[in-house]
Amino acid sequence: MPTMRWPPDRTAITDTWSNPPMLTAIGRGLKGRCPGCGQTRMFRRFLKVIDKCPNCTAPLGLARADDAPPYFTIFIVGHIIVPPMIIVDRMGEPPLWLMSLIFLPLTVILALGLIQPIKGGTVGLMLTLNMLKSDPNER
C-alpha cells in the first residue's frame, strides 16, 4: 500500500490555458468544444470528456461534472414535457396508451439530445470556476 502524505496537497491547479469569460466558456461547452480555446472537440465518446485539450492544454478530464448534467437535463425536460402533457390530458382525456405513445419517445429524444450539451456547459462552468480535481490520479 503506498503511503500518503498528510496533510494532502490542496494547492489549486494553476491556469496554463486561456481562461475566457464564464459565458463564453459555457457557450463553447454547450457546442461541445473546449471551453478554453473553442477549437477542439470536448468529447471522445457520447459523454466521455477528453483528458486534456490538445490545442490549449486545458485539463478537461479533471472537471468532474458527476450528477449535475443529468439533474439539469431532467429539470429542463420535465419543464418542457409536463405542461403539454397536462394540457393534452385536460383537453380530451386521451387513453393512456396514446399519451405514452406521444410523450415517452419525446421525453427520451429530448433527454438524449440535451445531456451532452448540458454536460459540456457544466464542464465549461467548472473550468472557469477552477472546480477541478486536486489529484489527477484519483478516479
Side-chain angles (χ1 to χ4, degrees):
M1 177 182 235
T3 59
M4 285 186 59
R5 189 175 64 88
W6 192 258
D9 185 19
R10 301 277 187 211
T11 57
I13 298 172
T14 57
D15 294 350
T16 57
W17 62 92
S18 64
N19 205 350
M22 185 180 301
L23 291 178
T24 303
I26 293 171
R28 289 174 178 168
L30 288 171
K31 293 177 185 174
R33 298 287 177 190
C34 170
C37 65
Q39 300 298 314
T40 57
R41 297 170 70 57
M42 181 187 300
F43 298 99
R44 69 171 165 239
R45 280 185 267 150
F46 183 61
L47 290 176
K48 184 69 175 170
V49 178
I50 60 174
D51 293 329
K52 183 186 283 190
C53 175
N55 190 38
C56 69
T57 70
L60 303 176
L62 296 181
R64 305 230 1 223
D66 293 338
D67 293 337
Y71 174 80
F72 294 142
T73 302
I74 291 168
F75 184 80
I76 292 169
V77 169
H79 278 80
I80 293 172
I81 294 295
V82 171
M85 189 183 317
I86 292 172
I87 291 169
V88 168
D89 185 55
R90 296 294 170 219
M91 283 176 45
E93 295 188 24
L96 185 59
W97 66 268
L98 182 60
M99 293 283 284
S100 299
L101 187 68
I102 294 169
F103 290 106
L104 283 177
L106 188 59
T107 302
V108 170
I109 290 168
L110 275 172
L112 289 176
L114 289 175
I115 187 76
Q116 190 179 38
I118 290 174
K119 182 167 183 172
T122 305
V123 170
L125 175 68
M126 293 175 76
L127 194 71
T128 302
L129 298 176
N130 203 19
M131 295 173 60
L132 306 173
K133 289 191 297 186
S134 59
D135 183 11
N137 297 323
E138 179 185 311
R139 286 199 52 80

